Amino acid sequence: MSIIARILVLLLDVYDLLLLVYVVLSWLHLRENRWTVMLRSVVEPVLNPIRSFLAARLPRLTSPLDWSPVVAWVLLAVVRNVVRWLL
């Protein structure tokens, strides 16, 4: 695997971890601080379009739970595999 692919896979892995931290912190309902604001500014631009898509296509699915992180993890896994395959 080339160095570019390794860097891209590493960035996707880091984003996976950030997404996990964001989900766990959302369960804890902590007060906002500079770290949570920064984390939200990194994660929400990916989750918002997924939420909009799910709300438009599957309105019954989005009511009680937010499935956008799960969809984001699946998409990240697909992108990670495509990067490994192409590069």
Side-chain angles (χ1 to χ4, degrees):
M1 189 163 35
S2 73
I3 189 74
I4 295 171
R6 287 182 182 171
I7 291 171
L8 286 173
V9 168
L10 177 66
L11 290 174
L12 291 170
D13 289 342
V14 168
Y15 199 83
D16 262 348
L17 182 62
L18 291 175
L19 189 57
L20 177 64
V21 170
Y22 182 75
V23 168
V24 170
L25 287 177
S26 74
W27 296 337
L28 298 177
H29 299 290
L30 299 175
R31 288 192 316 208
E32 284 191 1
N33 58 42
R34 66 181 180 172
W35 300 108
T36 58
V37 170
M38 182 182 65
L39 183 61
R40 184 181 329 120
S41 71
V42 170
V43 173
E44 283 295 328
V46 172
L47 295 182
N48 282 336
I50 295 171
R51 281 188 195 115
S52 299
F53 179 81
L54 290 175
R57 303 290 190 265
L58 305 166
R60 297 173 74 194
L61 181 67
T62 58
S63 300
L65 295 173
D66 184 11
W67 290 96
S68 60
V70 176
V71 174
W73 277 315
V74 170
L75 291 174
L76 285 169
V78 168
V79 170
R80 185 180 300 110
N81 287 332
V82 168
V83 166
R84 286 180 180 153
W85 182 73
L86 288 177
L87 300 175

